[in-house]
Amino acid sequence: GAGVSQSPSNKVTEKGKDVELRCDPISGHTALYWYRQSLGQGLEFLIYFQGNSAPDKSGLPSDRFSAERTGGSVSTLTIQRTQQEDSAVYLCASSWGLLAGETQYFGPGTRLLVL
Amino acid sequence: AQTVTQSQPEMSVQEAETVTLSCTYDTSESDYYLFWYKQPPSRQMILVIRQEAYKQQNATENRFSVNFQKAAKSFSLKISDSQLGDAAMYFCAYRSANSGNTPLVFGKGTRLSVIA
């Protein structure tokens, strides 16, 4: 079946502009995660959705970052007034949301470059 | 908070040889999961192997195996009979088993090159 998809694949924007990154999780997965991968760094957790529960926003680096998940499926990560330090690969992952040891399935990511 | 450390930014191995990637972690929890993920140039993270902390037996998946030392908080990945397709970034990750569905905590990764 289809895996996790993300769009756009690459995004170049100017400092100060807003951007929206989209994630389509695997059908039926109730858990959805956003991670950020900066150059030379590991993956940094941003936000996590589980079913209809309030999202865990503890990883968002500033109030310029927000995310929503509509209908328990597609998620959009929005970065307002982008800064150069926001340049990174943004990865989305989904899972069944049942077990701590379950696999998180990742999308190919969106590479964001802020000029 | 849990942390994961990968002390080898880069490693290389000859094709068909064996290589071991190191990972240590810090936690006060007794029940957790450890993972190794592979990230090829396509950027898509792929699960290689997982280990449940309460299981003493080391996990194996074909050419991939781990050496899990719970007391030492060490979780190394051994790749046997290395192939060109194994070239990628490898990330070690931790996940608590006590807090419902929590995000993964990743190390900074090890870039593995395979030499033909």
Side-chain angles (χ1 to χ4, degrees), chain B residues 66-81:
Chain B
V66 299
N67 183 3
F68 174 48
Q69 302 289 331
K70 190 172 184 179
K73 297 180 182 175
S74 171
F75 182 60
S76 60
L77 175 69
K78 185 171 82 170
I79 306 174
S80 303
D81 185 26

Side-chain angles (χ1 to χ4, degrees), chain A residues 31 33 48 50 56 95 97-102 104, chain B residues 29 31 33 95-104:
Chain A
Y33 308 80
Y48 156 58
Q50 171 63 62
D56 176 356
S95 68
L98 299 174
L99 300 171
E102 65 189 24
Q104 290 187 16
Chain B
E29 298 178 323
D31 196 10
Y33 291 84
R95 192 183 199 196
S96 171
N98 296 328
S99 307
N101 279 296
T102 55
L104 294 165

Side-chain angles (χ1 to χ4, degrees), chain A residues 9-10 33 35 37 41-43 45 48 50 89 91 97-104 106-111, chain B residues 33 35 37 39 42-47 50 89 91 95-98 100-109:
Chain A
S9 179
N10 296 281
Y33 308 80
Y35 296 90
Q37 184 177 18
Q41 302 294 315
L43 279 73
F45 163 70
Y48 156 58
Q50 171 63 62
V89 175
L91 291 163
L98 299 174
L99 300 171
E102 65 189 24
T103 302
Q104 290 187 16
F106 284 79
T110 293
R111 184 182 299 278
Chain B
Y33 291 84
F35 305 83
Y37 274 88
Q39 186 181 41
S42 67
R43 296 200 307 244
Q44 192 141 13
M45 303 274 284
I46 303 164
L47 178 66
R50 93 186 82 214
M89 284 290 290
F91 291 94
R95 192 183 199 196
S96 171
N98 296 328
N101 279 296
T102 55
L104 294 165
V105 177
F106 286 90
K108 291 188 176 182

Side-chain angles (χ1 to χ4, degrees), chain A residues 35-58:
Chain A
Y35 296 90
R36 178 169 71 174
Q37 184 177 18
S38 302
L39 187 63
Q41 302 294 315
L43 279 73
E44 169 193 17
F45 163 70
L46 297 177
I47 188 169
Y48 156 58
F49 296 88
Q50 171 63 62
N52 296 320
S53 302
D56 176 356
K57 303 179 182 181
S58 60

